[in-house]
Amino acid sequence: MKMMNASPVIEWNRLVIDLMQSITQPSDVDLPRRNTSEAARVYALLNVAMHDAMGGLGGDPALEPRWVVQPAPGLSADLAPFAAIGAGCQLLEGLFSLPQREQQIRDLMRNLRDEHAGASGVIADITAALDYGKDVASALLADQRYAIPTNDPVEDLHLPANPPPEGIGRLGFAPGAARYRRLTPFVLARGDWFHAPPPQELAGFGYAREWHEVYAQGSLALREAAADSFESRMARLWRGGVGTSQETGFWMEIARVISADPARALTLSEQTRVMTAIAVANCDAMITSWSSKWTYTFWRPQDAIRRGDEDGNAATFGDPAWAPYNGSQGASPEHTSGTATFAGACSTVLAHLFGDAVSFEVDFQSATGLIGPQTFDHLALTADIAVRTRVWNGIYFASAGEAGLLAGRLVGRRIIDAMALMPM
């Protein structure tokens, strides 16, 4: 499928990233979409819907439907772009309910439809392809395997009590996000397939070394004093949170920029394969990390440092005034780092597809406080920097990043094998 008009896959991903960034107010009706785990699910659902809608019309064996097998009308495979347009519209309309966002979704649908229809489009066939894409998206949204899991404290015996006891080393975190570890993976056979080994023992030398590393390199005071340093700039770039597309969205944007590069001249089918692979890698990496997080419920550096005189380690001490550069310590348990797991999975898939030495320019979001886009030249190095920023932001110990990065790479390799991805 050669690209003659704007790619619906690229444009729907551009829009969903914008929609995610626009959720900034606690009163926002779309607030449930804002957290990292839900963002990963949304990105995966969007791209899976487009992948299977296009594949359902046939014509490209590489896009054979994997998640939604919906009986297709007898339409030409040339109408696949319209199936993607319909799928993207229906999927996002089903997830975002603020009228202003719904209007953005419908406007893009009409623009894409009109641009691809041109003067010679057969209206009836175009409408049928759009409707087919919408049917695929509706079936995916109705599939309970990919619905948000409900809380079930009775089964979550390893979760801290509610209210949490806040014991040394194991702090209670609200179980709301813990349920995402029970989300059905899109490719992995099990969410705990690449479960990480335990965090460092509190009384050990390794823990003390990592404790002092975060204490020295991730403090608010140090980073503000060196705000223009490489470490501080990268820490802000990868911070994520409110007003961003979330950390999973960062890799969606990287994949979008690489796939949309005119110099690569990727076909619509190729762009679909890339974006779907990254989206499901992101989501399955999230499930993998969350499985470890809510097994170990290990405390974050802010609590570990403020209560360092209670951990039983003679090499640490308590500093009640210490604060992380991140601004908050984070809402999930520490081990493992989700950002590291996403980075491992997505960089592995992208490097397989395009090689590691890929130069790309990204402008993640205005909320980073950085002026202008940032340029990167190597995928593995970009992943390593993303992992390291969790220490510079003062919110993870180094071993949480190392374990997450390794697990993510394993997820990425599984995505490559399961989807039979070939270098482009």
Side-chain angles (χ1 to χ4, degrees):
M1 302 175 194
K2 290 186 177 182
M3 294 298 302
M4 301 298 292
N5 305 97
S7 164
V9 169
I10 296 301
E11 293 307 311
W12 282 126
N13 275 286
R14 187 197 308 275
L15 178 61
V16 74
I17 287 170
D18 290 343
L19 294 176
M20 207 68 72
Q21 291 177 169
S22 69
I23 305 174
T24 59
Q25 302 300 322
S27 59
D28 196 318
V29 69
D30 291 325
L31 189 66
R33 304 279 87 88
R34 191 174 76 181
N35 65 75
T36 301
S37 40
E38 178 60 7
R41 187 182 80 101
V42 170
Y43 296 135
L45 289 173
L46 172 64
N47 286 280
V48 161
M50 290 191 288
H51 178 284
D52 284 0
M54 292 175 61
L57 296 187
D60 189 341
L63 291 181
E64 183 178 354
R66 294 178 53 92
W67 297 275
V68 181
V69 180
Q70 188 83 357
L75 297 172
S76 167
D78 292 339
L79 294 169
F82 296 101
I85 293 167
C89 178
Q90 186 75 9
L91 195 288
L92 294 184
E93 278 197 325
L95 294 176
F96 293 90
S97 49
L98 188 71
Q100 178 182 354
R101 296 191 182 105
E102 290 180 341
Q103 190 62 50
Q104 288 179 269
I105 294 165
R106 292 166 187 163
D107 287 346
L108 179 57
M109 190 278 292
R110 284 191 291 268
N111 291 340
L112 288 170
R113 178 199 62 195
D114 294 346
E115 183 173 349
H116 279 267
S120 59
V122 178
I123 300 301
D125 287 349
I126 289 173
T127 300
L130 290 168
D131 289 343
Y132 175 67
K134 292 179 180 181
D135 289 344
V136 170
S138 294
L140 184 61
L141 286 170
D143 192 329
Q144 289 304 302
R145 293 177 300 168
Y146 307 117
I148 303 173
T150 57
N151 288 325
D152 190 354
V154 175
E155 293 183 4
D156 291 339
L157 298 179
H158 64 281
L159 290 176
N162 189 16
E166 301 206 357
I168 301 303
R170 286 173 61 88
L171 294 187
F173 292 87
R179 56 188 171 167
Y180 281 88
R181 82 192 191 287
R182 291 202 305 272
L183 186 69
T184 302
F186 284 87
V187 172
L188 299 185
R190 292 171 53 107
D192 61 356
W193 213 0
F194 299 121
H195 201 275
Q200 300 270 17
E201 293 289 338
L202 290 180
F205 172 79
Y207 173 77
R209 177 180 58 79
E210 292 190 0
W211 186 99
H212 280 278
E213 181 180 42
V214 177
Y215 183 80
Q217 297 187 24
S219 74
L220 176 64
L222 171 74
R223 289 279 146 244
E224 286 189 335
D228 292 331
S229 68
F230 173 80
E231 293 84 355
S232 296
R233 289 190 297 105
M234 290 299 101
R236 295 197 299 277
L237 180 70
W238 288 94
R239 185 172 287 172
V242 177
T244 77
S245 56
Q246 300 295 329
E247 295 92 322
T248 44
F250 296 173
W251 285 100
M252 295 303 300
E253 179 64 3
I254 290 171
R256 191 192 67 78
V257 168
I258 292 174
S259 299
D261 186 349
R264 290 193 173 83
L266 297 187
T267 66
L268 179 58
S269 296
E270 289 170 335
Q271 290 179 341
T272 304
R273 292 272 283 169
V274 173
M275 297 306 299
T276 304
I278 294 304
V280 298
N282 246 328
C283 194
D284 284 12
M286 178 273 293
I287 298 169
T288 297
S289 180
W290 270 226
S291 173
S292 296
K293 280 179 179 287
W294 272 276
T295 294
Y296 301 123
T297 57
F298 200 59
W299 61 1
R300 294 274 191 141
Q302 175 177 289
D303 291 305
I305 291 170
R306 291 180 178 181
R307 300 175 64 179
D309 54 349
E310 304 175 48
D311 60 16
N313 193 313
T316 63
F317 54 87
D319 184 349
W322 189 90
Y325 184 52
N326 191 64
S328 67
Q329 70 167 342
S332 66
E334 190 267 352
H335 195 81
T336 58
S337 162
T339 293
T341 317
F342 313 146
C346 295
S347 65
T348 296
V349 172
L350 286 172
H352 171 78
L353 293 170
F354 301 107
D356 179 64
V358 177
S359 180
F360 53 93
E361 186 178 82
V362 288
D363 189 3
F364 287 146
Q365 67 287 309
S366 59
T368 59
L370 297 176
I371 304 300
Q374 306 294 308
T375 301
F376 297 90
D377 296 317
H378 292 83
L379 290 160
L381 179 59
T382 301
D384 288 342
I385 291 171
V387 173
R388 191 62 188 164
T389 62
R390 314 328 274 165
V391 172
W392 298 335
N393 267 312
I395 53 177
Y396 283 94
F397 298 111
S399 57
E402 294 163 2
L405 185 64
L406 174 59
R409 286 171 176 162
L410 293 172
V411 171
R413 289 306 314 174
R414 182 58 191 149
I415 301 296
I416 290 166
D417 293 342
M419 294 186 66
L421 299 177
M422 300 298 292
M424 294 186 178

